[in-house]
Amino acid sequence: MNMSRVSTVTEFILLSFPCSSEVQVLLFMLFSLTYTLTLMVNGAIICAVKLDHRLHTPMYILLANFSFLEICYINTTVPTMLENFLSETKTISFTACFLQFYFFFSMGINETFLLPLMAFDRYLAICQPLRYPTIMTSHLCLNLVALCWVTAFLCYPIPIYFITQLPFCGPNIIDHFVCDPGPLLALSCVPTPGIELSCSILSSLIIFITFFFILGSYTLVLKAVLRVPSAAGRRKAFSTCGSHLAVVSLFYGTIMVMYSYPASWNTAGIQKIVTLFYSSVTPLLNPLIYCLRNKDMKAALRKIHTCTKISQS
């Protein structure tokens, strides 16, 4: 295959959700509200961890980083989607499309790295309680978080580079609301089974290796919890781990449907619905799941709310 860039396409049209203008406005209002709430809730968690010294522990440092990631994640897709709801042209430039593709996937990969790190933290806290303070220090925690970010942003530059070198000679309509690899590869003027298979294998390896790491960690946690003699101790451990497992189930359940199979196996409708769920809905649900089941976090948020009311009065 001649991989030299012979593209005549300079911009793409993100078809998004084709419907009447009234429905487009309704969708704009709905997702604007979801977007605003997501920023507020995740921002509140970051502020709570930063301002409350009792939360300066690895568990909450990881949670704050996870909330920061969710804010970055939705900002790669939702602003463009909201703009397209009210736009007549719905265009995105060639460069902007692939930048969105890169950051969207890098953030998603980072989430697949942070979730196992959070599971490893819970494993150490429950299975190695005496050694936990000396093993999982704040310094080590921050270094591991930095490693997750750097590694995530190094995973996809080469695949994306090869996709940008494909000839795109029209049509330029992407039947999606983001620049996703499946719809993009479908627009290439030449067959792309090699690139499609490579992307699928890379995504599958990242997804399943991290998923089985989480599964292994929580299997060991479950064995340790069942040996705890106190019923109150078991409930506390299950409560902490249950929140994380709920988040893991939401995230991995959707991305396994999307990216562990070749892109051509998923229809456009399924791609849009699943992508919409894990890119726009779960960033709002995740912090709510953590906060509603965590007494320390709820106490810190109430403290911030009280201080805010006092300062305003």
Side-chain angles (χ1 to χ4, degrees):
M1 182 187 298
N2 181 12
M3 299 301 290
S4 60
R5 171 104 174 266
V6 293
S7 172
T8 57
V9 171
T10 58
E11 62 182 19
F12 295 101
I13 297 173
L14 289 172
L15 197 58
S16 190
F17 300 95
C19 50
S20 65
S21 57
E22 292 81 6
V23 176
Q24 294 274 349
V25 172
L26 183 62
L27 289 173
F28 173 82
M29 295 172 63
L30 175 62
F31 285 105
S32 292
L33 177 62
T34 303
Y35 177 64
T36 304
L37 289 174
T38 302
L39 294 178
M40 290 174 61
V41 174
N42 283 286
I45 289 178
I46 295 171
C47 291
V49 174
K50 182 177 176 61
L51 298 176
D52 194 327
H53 293 286
R54 294 174 302 173
L55 302 184
H56 290 182
T57 62
M59 175 182 170
Y60 292 105
I61 290 172
L62 290 172
L63 182 56
N65 274 276
F66 190 71
S67 290
F68 177 70
L69 171 63
E70 297 289 43
I71 290 174
C72 296
Y73 200 25
I74 61 168
N75 277 313
T76 62
T77 57
V78 176
T80 303
M81 181 177 68
L82 293 176
E83 181 184 353
N84 282 351
F85 282 139
L86 303 181
S87 172
E88 293 293 334
T89 58
K90 303 183 186 299
T91 58
I92 184 171
S93 69
F94 188 94
T95 303
C97 184
F98 280 95
L99 281 174
Q100 185 192 62
F101 179 6
Y102 172 65
F103 283 104
F104 181 58
F105 264 70
S106 296
M107 297 298 173
I109 291 171
N110 195 9
E111 190 158 342
T112 65
F113 292 159
L114 274 179
L115 287 174
L117 181 55
M118 295 168 79
F120 178 65
D121 174 71
R122 290 302 84 205
Y123 159 75
L124 288 177
I126 294 173
C127 299
Q128 306 286 338
L130 299 179
R131 299 175 58 197
Y132 175 73
T134 57
I135 297 175
M136 185 58 79
T137 62
S138 297
H139 180 69
L140 175 62
C141 181
L142 291 173
N143 284 338
L144 290 173
V145 168
L147 181 63
C148 289
W149 280 86
V150 172
T151 307
F153 277 84
L154 292 177
C155 285
Y156 256 87
I158 294 176
I160 290 176
Y161 169 76
F162 281 112
I163 296 175
T164 61
Q165 302 307 298
L166 291 171
F168 293 95
C169 47
N172 65 337
I173 299 175
I174 299 176
D175 190 8
H176 214 306
F177 61 91
V178 296
C179 290
D180 206 56
L184 273 173
L185 291 173
L187 297 181
S188 173
C189 301
V190 296
T192 59
I195 294 178
E196 183 181 337
L197 183 61
S198 299
C199 289
S200 179
I201 290 173
L202 177 60
S203 299
S204 296
L205 284 173
I206 294 171
I207 291 169
F208 284 102
I209 288 174
T210 55
F211 176 74
F212 283 117
F213 180 88
I214 294 172
L215 198 61
S217 297
Y218 275 106
T219 300
L220 296 174
V221 167
L222 180 61
K223 290 180 179 179
V225 170
L226 292 177
R227 290 197 296 267
V228 174
S230 166
R234 287 196 298 270
R235 281 196 300 270
K236 183 178 179 181
F238 278 126
S239 176
T240 303
C241 298
S243 300
H244 187 248
L245 285 173
V247 171
V248 168
S249 301
L250 281 173
F251 181 71
Y252 278 91
T254 51
I255 64 173
M256 281 181 179
V257 173
M258 279 294 298
Y259 298 113
S260 59
Y261 301 101
S264 58
W265 291 16
N266 293 322
T267 64
I270 293 175
Q271 287 181 345
K272 288 182 189 179
I273 293 170
V274 175
T275 305
L276 184 67
F277 185 80
Y278 73 77
S279 66
S280 301
V281 179
T282 58
L284 175 60
L285 294 179
N286 290 344
L288 294 177
I289 292 171
Y290 279 119
C291 291
L292 291 175
R293 296 176 63 90
N294 190 297
K295 293 181 180 179
D296 292 335
M297 180 58 68
K298 287 191 288 186
L301 291 173
R302 281 196 298 267
K303 183 179 178 181
I304 292 175
H305 179 65
T306 302
C307 292
T308 303
K309 288 175 67 177
I310 293 173
S311 63
Q312 288 176 347
S313 61

